[in-house]
Amino acid sequence: MDDLTTHDQADKVLAEGTTNLRAMLGEDWEVSIQPEAASPQGGDTGWDAVIRLASRHDSNFTELLVEARTRLTPKDVAGHISSKAQLVRRINRHTRLMVFAPWISPKTQEELQRREIDYLDLTGNVSLRVTRPAIIIRTLGADRAPASHRAPSSKPMLTGPAAGRLVRILADVRPPYRATDLAKSAQLSVPYVSKLLDALEDQLLIGRDNKVIAHVDWQALLRTRAGALDLAHHSNPVGMLAPTGIQPVIERLVQADGFAAGSEILVTGSYAARPVAPIAVGGQLMIYATRHDDASMTRLAQELGLMPVPEAADVLILAPWDLSVLHRPARLDRYWQVGLSQLVLDCLSGPGRMPAEGEKVLEFMAANEDIWRLDDLGQAGRHRTIDPGTRPQKLF
């Protein structure tokens, strides 16, 4: 039972979970909570209830050792939940440990499934597999925590510009490093960084050796961050039309060499992904511009040969909601574009085929980590960029 919550809350989860399980199995099964069993090692049992599933047609039954939680993280599963499941299997390989919770995140479900631990949440995410008697249940519920099930937490989430700065540095720079080093590099407060690292560790997105970050699951980290974003909502796009086509705009971007109308400009989206993920042609050209006021937009349109349009735009000018979006740019083609980690975030949170392009960029990054990932936080300065034409040099 979660020691950060009351017994009453856990009891409510247990009661509702048992009711839901009874409804799923139907009238052919009797589902009952048994008197608390004795621990094989003496003392407390280590679980919250024993639920018996008995067939009404014969003498077959099985027992589930249930732990009721009001909050469950991947770190919990990898830690004592996994240890407890191993203990249960040593006692009786036919007995299952099952976890009840108000809501279980997709990442936590993956950890439970990987360790063959059954689970049920009150939104309908259920996985139960019993061999004797044969019972298999797999249903999907909410993939986001309902408001009524969100436990209050002082830990920050992966939303907002500050989180974006930290996520990009964690992805772009290999560990080891400490919270104080990350805070200095990202220009964030140490308390904020420490709290966010705690949250990331709970989700197994980072691993620490004492106070040192020793491992970063950068692919899962970027996917998780992208899941909290909506490119169209966060970037305030301004639609433009290229009367003579996209290619002349590309040529002007090459000539501008990263600057136009007094703004720093970087390509993102499909055109930026194409050099490493050529899965489609066409699409909108997306450009970040640091200046987004009307006068700057007018000058930028003139320099790039564009016309503002209310709809049917083939070029979108995006506003970076934090300057870290522009940090560590790369030149994979003849023009400057956002760094690969930012490109993944933009594509995965973008419309249409962009998420598929983002996954292809991730594949490229995973296969070529040595050419884009930095070895030291001291290299993470905003302007450390080089042309990647001389591979295997780094892209930044």
Side-chain angles (χ1 to χ4, degrees):
M1 190 189 309
D2 192 338
D3 58 5
L4 299 179
T5 61
T6 67
H7 289 278
D8 289 343
Q9 290 173 313
D11 287 345
K12 182 179 179 181
V13 171
L14 176 62
E16 290 188 29
T18 303
T19 299
N20 292 353
L21 186 59
R22 187 176 292 120
M24 283 182 223
L25 289 171
E27 296 181 355
D28 291 336
W29 292 88
E30 180 180 353
V31 180
S32 59
I33 298 179
Q34 301 299 297
E36 190 169 290
S39 168
Q41 298 177 344
D44 293 336
T45 60
W47 44 82
D48 296 314
V50 177
I51 293 182
R52 174 172 291 196
L53 312 179
S55 171
R56 296 185 187 276
H57 301 291
D58 52 41
S59 59
N60 287 327
F61 72 91
T62 190
E63 290 183 335
L64 306 173
L65 307 183
V66 177
E67 175 151 343
R69 286 296 199 103
T70 58
R71 183 174 179 269
L72 188 67
T73 69
K75 183 181 178 182
D76 295 330
V77 176
H80 65 273
I81 295 290
S82 179
S83 299
K84 194 172 295 185
Q86 294 174 17
L87 172 62
V88 169
R89 293 188 187 109
R90 286 199 295 269
I91 298 170
N92 184 336
R93 65 188 181 93
H94 297 298
T95 302
R96 306 281 294 186
L97 177 68
M98 191 169 191
V99 183
F100 286 7
W103 177 72
I104 301 175
S105 71
K107 174 72 172 176
T108 307
Q109 292 176 49
E110 290 177 12
E111 291 298 320
L112 289 164
Q113 292 167 20
R114 191 160 68 87
R115 291 169 170 79
E116 298 183 352
I117 300 173
D118 298 317
Y119 60 84
L120 175 151
D121 77 21
L122 304 185
T123 77
N125 291 302
V126 181
S127 178
L128 174 62
R129 189 178 187 92
V130 177
T131 55
R132 276 193 327 187
I135 301 173
I136 299 176
I137 300 176
R138 182 72 184 278
T139 65
L140 298 179
D143 59 1
R144 293 179 181 271
S148 59
H149 296 324
R150 290 174 192 159
S153 174
S154 61
K155 295 178 181 177
M157 304 302 292
L158 282 184
T159 57
R165 291 188 212 176
L166 189 61
V167 165
R168 286 210 58 211
I169 287 181
L170 287 168
D172 288 348
V173 185
R174 301 176 192 269
Y177 30 66
R178 296 174 178 268
T180 51
D181 303 322
L182 290 168
K184 181 179 179 180
S185 182
Q187 297 182 328
L188 299 170
S189 72
V190 174
Y192 172 83
V193 169
S194 296
K195 288 182 179 180
L196 186 53
L197 292 176
D198 287 345
L200 297 181
E201 188 175 32
D202 282 346
Q203 300 302 315
L204 299 183
L205 297 174
I206 66 167
R208 287 191 278 202
D209 183 1
N210 197 6
K211 294 184 179 182
V212 177
I213 292 90
H215 168 72
V216 176
D217 187 347
W218 58 265
Q219 293 188 63
L221 178 63
L222 291 175
R223 288 192 181 99
T224 303
R225 164 69 174 174
L229 300 176
D230 181 328
L231 182 63
H233 173 74
H234 288 96
S235 61
N236 190 28
V238 175
M240 300 276 185
L241 180 67
T244 58
I246 296 296
Q247 192 56 42
V249 181
I250 295 290
E251 295 302 324
R252 295 191 182 199
L253 287 172
V254 172
Q255 295 171 10
D257 199 31
F259 293 88
S263 293
E264 185 170 355
I265 56 174
L266 295 173
V267 177
T268 190
S270 299
Y271 279 85
R274 202 154 295 156
V276 296
I279 64 175
V281 296
Q284 291 176 312
L285 174 63
M286 296 183 176
I287 304 170
Y288 278 112
T290 54
R291 295 188 180 182
H292 233 240
D293 57 274
D294 291 343
S296 296
M297 286 293 98
T298 299
R299 289 196 301 272
L300 183 61
Q302 291 173 347
E303 289 193 26
L304 298 181
L306 303 173
M307 296 173 51
V309 290
E311 57 185 21
D314 52 11
V315 178
L316 292 180
I317 310 299
L318 312 179
W321 65 328
D322 183 77
L323 289 182
S324 65
V325 170
L326 309 178
H327 287 180
R328 296 178 295 283
R331 185 157 58 190
L332 279 72
D333 204 337
R334 296 180 299 146
Y335 47 81
W336 287 106
Q337 63 181 63
V338 295
L340 289 178
S341 60
Q342 184 62 46
L343 177 60
V344 167
L345 294 173
D346 290 343
C347 286
L348 292 182
S349 62
R353 62 170 179 254
M354 288 181 65
E357 292 170 329
E359 289 295 336
K360 285 295 183 181
V361 175
L362 274 175
E363 289 181 15
F364 171 84
M365 293 169 69
N368 299 276
E369 192 170 333
D370 287 343
I371 71 169
W372 65 269
R373 209 165 184 211
L374 303 173
D375 296 319
D376 185 88
L377 285 172
Q379 300 174 329
R382 180 178 171 192
H383 297 294
R384 294 189 63 83
T385 57
I386 68 168
D387 190 321
T390 56
R391 294 183 181 178
Q393 291 182 17
K394 293 186 180 296
L395 296 180
F396 301 121

